[in-house]
């Protein structure tokens, strides 16, 4: 297992967090998603994976969830 931290702008409520969580969870290899919501700034989303997940896949899932911006991917 490994963890990836996504820094995401634009998440303002729990509804936003649930959309992002749902899209990320659908990716192959994603075992868990933990959101530390910061409605006034950049939220931290920790993704736990059991397989390799590319930055592009993560960004695409967040984009699919709504009008959110991945500002950094920390591996």
């Amino acid at each position: 297992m490994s963890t990836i931290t996504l820094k995401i702008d634009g998440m303002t409520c729990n509804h936003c967090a649930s959309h992002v969580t749902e899209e990320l969870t659908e990716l192959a290899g994603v075992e868990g998603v933990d959101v530390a919501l910061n409605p006034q700034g950049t939220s931290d989303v920790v993704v736990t994976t059991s397989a390799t997940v590319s930055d592009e896949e993560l960004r695409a899932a967040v984009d699919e969830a709504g009008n959110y911006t991945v500002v950094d991917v920390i591996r």
Side-chain angles (χ1 to χ4, degrees), residues 13 26-27 31 34 42 44 53-54 59 64 66 75:
C13 65
E26 290 180 7
L27 293 175
E31 300 296 326
D34 184 38
T42 304
D44 289 342
V53 180
S54 72
R59 289 178 187 277
E64 184 70 27
R75 292 183 178 266

Side-chain angles (χ1 to χ4, degrees), residues 50-69:
S50 61
T52 302
V53 180
S54 72
D55 289 2
E56 292 78 19
E57 289 174 299
L58 294 166
R59 289 178 187 277
V62 171
D63 187 52
E64 184 70 27
N67 192 26
Y68 314 114
T69 304

Side-chain angles (χ1 to χ4, degrees), residues 18-54:
S18 69
H19 279 290
V20 170
T21 299
E22 180 180 325
E23 291 297 332
L24 288 169
T25 302
E26 290 180 7
L27 293 175
V30 172
E31 300 296 326
V33 177
D34 184 38
V35 177
L37 183 64
N38 179 359
Q40 285 78 38
T42 304
S43 298
D44 289 342
V45 178
V46 178
V47 180
T48 304
T49 64
S50 61
T52 302
V53 180
S54 72

